[in-house]
Amino acid sequence: MRQLFGKLSLLTENEMVADGDDLIRELNRVIKPPKPVTVDMVYLGVLYAASDQVNMQGGCFALPELRRLAELVIDTPVMVGHQKQDLPIGRVFKGKIVEREGRPWLAAYFYWHRDQESADSIKAGIESGIYRECSLGFLYGKPKCSICGQDMRRCRHRVGESCHLGGREVKAFFYYQEIIKVLEISLVYRGAVAGTRVSTLAREGGGEATEDNITPFWRSQAKPIFSLQQIDQPLDEVMIEPLYNGIWLEVTADGDQLSARTGDGKDFTHPTLDQLKECIIASDFHLVCQLIPTRG
């Protein structure tokens, strides 16, 4: 699963007048709410959720996969911060590919009811620029290497690695392929594609990720701290992420055998370990890691 970040927009009053009736008809046709909605019962917006740009995870979509996403995104719940324990705040009823600044983008039209809790707060947050970005959560089957075309989990190239190709130096990335399902789209605090933001449709813009400004962040390079006094570098060079609740494991690979133990020395088994055995290339290693219980 990957989470890609994009722009969230609220339909303007002019757009509601011009396109509102058509969008409401599409909403009622696709979602089939128990009580059909009218234009004065809901707020409508657009989530620019994915493009063909390379993101900070080193992945991107080719146009066929974007078109596939436009089909799968319909009836997707809209969440806040990928918090699956909470109910959705809205729902996508239409997906299409549009051109923004010369690039194809997945536009996901969504709605929320004016009478639901915090409906006006959500609208105000978007219009004021406080809610600036959105994130697409989806399942896919294969990361196709941009250098050799193979599954990047098994080829020798790594995201961000410089390679000489056709007489020039390029950085490796991968294409998301075999899109299986769109799980949800969330309003989030920070995006992975440079220049994306939330605004009304009248204020579109922003930059894009390029080969020169992609710097993948590998969680294995981070170290947890429990006091600000432990930070020994300038704060503008520090990335702060949530400390997820997971299971700490010692994982050992010896030839084709993979074993794991919990912190108290007990053997640990899980289907994830069987899947991991099929993906790893190294035949002998020992590491401490955390298994994060998450879905989507």
Side-chain angles (χ1 to χ4, degrees), residues 43-57:
Y43 293 124
L44 301 178
V46 183
L47 299 149
Y48 292 100
S51 75
D52 65 349
Q53 301 174 64
V54 179
N55 61 36
M56 289 183 67
Q57 283 80 40

Side-chain angles (χ1 to χ4, degrees), residues 77-289:
V78 178
M79 315 292 290
V80 175
H82 302 291
Q83 297 298 312
K84 309 300 191 298
Q85 70 272 22
D86 296 330
L87 293 174
I89 62 168
R91 189 161 293 272
V92 175
F93 64 91
K94 179 180 179 180
K96 70 175 183 178
I97 304 303
V98 299
E99 183 176 309
R100 295 178 57 238
E101 301 178 351
R103 287 186 175 275
W105 277 82
L106 167 65
Y109 290 77
F110 74 109
Y111 78 101
W112 69 101
H113 203 285
R114 299 190 184 206
D115 291 340
Q116 72 189 59
E117 184 179 1
S118 301
D120 289 331
S121 297
I122 296 169
K123 177 175 180 289
I126 296 173
E127 289 182 329
S128 64
I130 295 173
Y131 300 155
R132 297 179 62 87
E133 294 164 35
C134 62
S135 167
L136 175 70
F138 65 100
L139 300 174
Y140 72 105
K142 177 183 177 182
K144 179 182 175 182
C145 177
S146 64
I147 303 297
C148 66
Q150 302 300 310
D151 189 322
M152 205 171 202
R153 294 168 296 186
R154 297 178 173 85
C155 74
R156 64 183 180 85
H157 303 108
R158 294 295 177 265
V159 170
E161 174 188 6
S162 295
C163 303
H164 290 280
L165 187 66
R168 62 191 181 97
E169 186 176 286
V170 298
K171 290 187 177 181
F173 62 91
F174 64 89
Y175 293 98
Y176 297 103
Q177 291 201 327
E178 300 175 12
I179 308 298
I180 300 169
K181 185 178 182 180
V182 175
L183 301 171
E184 47 85 21
I185 303 181
S186 284
L187 311 186
V188 294
Y189 72 96
R190 178 57 64 192
V193 177
T196 58
R197 60 186 176 86
V198 176
S199 67
T200 63
L201 291 179
R203 298 200 302 273
E204 293 184 37
E208 63 187 51
T210 66
E211 288 183 351
D212 294 329
N213 62 23
I214 296 170
T215 306
F217 174 74
W218 302 104
R219 189 178 302 276
S220 61
Q221 296 175 353
K223 59 180 181 180
I225 63 170
F226 302 95
S227 170
L228 292 179
Q229 282 69 37
Q230 294 179 258
I231 300 177
D232 56 1
Q233 59 195 105
L235 288 180
D236 60 358
E237 298 178 7
V238 175
M239 176 178 286
I240 300 176
E241 287 198 329
L243 182 61
Y244 294 102
N245 293 320
I247 303 172
W248 286 100
L249 300 172
E250 288 188 62
V251 179
T252 301
D254 184 5
D256 59 353
Q257 299 297 317
L258 190 68
S259 60
R261 290 177 176 269
T262 59
D264 56 5
K266 295 180 180 179
D267 291 334
F268 180 86
T269 59
H270 192 275
T272 301
L273 296 177
D274 296 330
Q275 298 174 15
L276 182 62
K277 283 196 300 185
E278 301 174 1
C279 301
I280 59 176
I281 299 175
S283 59
D284 186 10
F285 64 82
H286 178 82
L287 57 85
V288 177
C289 62

